[in-house]
Amino acid sequence: GAVVSQHPSRVICKSGTSVKIECRSLDFQATTMFWYRQFPKQSLMLMATSNEGSKATYEQGVEKDKFLINHASLTLSTLTVTSAHPEDSSFYICSARADSTEAFFGQGTRLTVV
Amino acid sequence: SQQGEEDPQALSIQEGENATMNCSYKTSINNLQWYRQNSGRGLVHLILIRSNEREKHSGRLRVTLDTSKKSSSLLITASRAADTASYFCATDRGTYKYIFGTGTRLKVLA
């Protein structure tokens, strides 16, 4: 199957700082990427959808100014958590798909804001 | 609710026994995937089953799909302690936006 890589796998940042998470499709061109969030002991919830070269579409209740998504190339999408607070601590995971294929998931990034 | 439902929420079995987890969803789907997640770790893809398929196997895993009942099941045979994890189903309606189930926490006792 296709490989989607996230970096970093774990990150700790101070409250008030911003942190960037990268999602890369390693062996295919991803026309669309998706970002999910998982709170402790809960399931994954879709945050936003990004298409290469256009603005991301956010799900209801997700603050677009808080979670900045950039999909600048067909192999890279980034999620920046701005002015992070402890309540942003969560597991963030991306998925990516090429045209007419299933979406494949990255391994996820665990963010801890202290 | 965005989420599908899985049952049981938690399952505890002895090593060597079989474990069955069920997933129900609300709308017609294109495909359904099962994932495993060890505590504090990322997702591990197990099996993808398409809407025109009824059953798939992968090693000790068997997945069934009943589109008329909007449900799927994951069977792990001859379970091992290393199978201890949370298991999620994720459905795609053709938009590639996967909707995840609530998950089943499986504990296999040695």
Side-chain angles (χ1 to χ4, degrees), chain B residues 87-107:
Chain B
Y87 292 82
F88 294 94
C89 67
T91 55
D92 171 28
R93 293 177 292 173
T95 63
Y96 306 98
K97 295 180 183 181
Y98 281 85
I99 297 175
F100 282 80
T102 49
T104 294
R105 294 188 304 281
L106 172 67
K107 190 169 186 178

Side-chain angles (χ1 to χ4, degrees), chain A residues 61-74:
Chain A
V62 178
E63 299 175 61
K64 59 182 67 177
D65 294 330
K66 174 76 170 174
F67 300 100
L68 300 179
I69 293 172
N70 184 291
H71 192 163
S73 78
L74 284 171

Side-chain angles (χ1 to χ4, degrees), chain A residues 10 34 36 38 41-46 49 59 91 93 95 97 100-108 110, chain B residues 2-3 31 33 35 37 39-43 48 50 88 90 95-103 105:
Chain A
R10 291 176 179 269
F34 305 87
Y36 295 77
Q38 183 185 34
K41 300 189 186 303
Q42 295 189 29
S43 190
L44 291 86
M45 299 292 288
L46 180 66
T49 303
E59 296 297 305
F91 186 70
I93 193 164
S95 68
R97 63 170 284 263
S100 303
T101 68
E102 302 87 21
F104 300 94
F105 285 84
Q107 72 271 39
R110 182 158 302 283
Chain B
Q2 187 185 77
Q3 293 181 333
N31 65 77
Q33 302 194 46
Y35 286 88
Q37 184 180 39
S39 180
R41 309 293 289 275
L43 294 179
L48 178 150
R50 294 188 170 82
F88 294 94
T95 63
Y96 306 98
K97 295 180 183 181
Y98 281 85
I99 297 175
F100 282 80
T102 49
R105 294 188 304 281

Side-chain angles (χ1 to χ4, degrees), chain A residues 11-16 84-89 111-114:
Chain A
V11 59
I12 300 173
C13 71
K14 290 186 177 180
S15 195
H85 290 283
E87 55 265 31
D88 297 325
S89 297
L111 169 64
T112 303
V113 184
V114 296

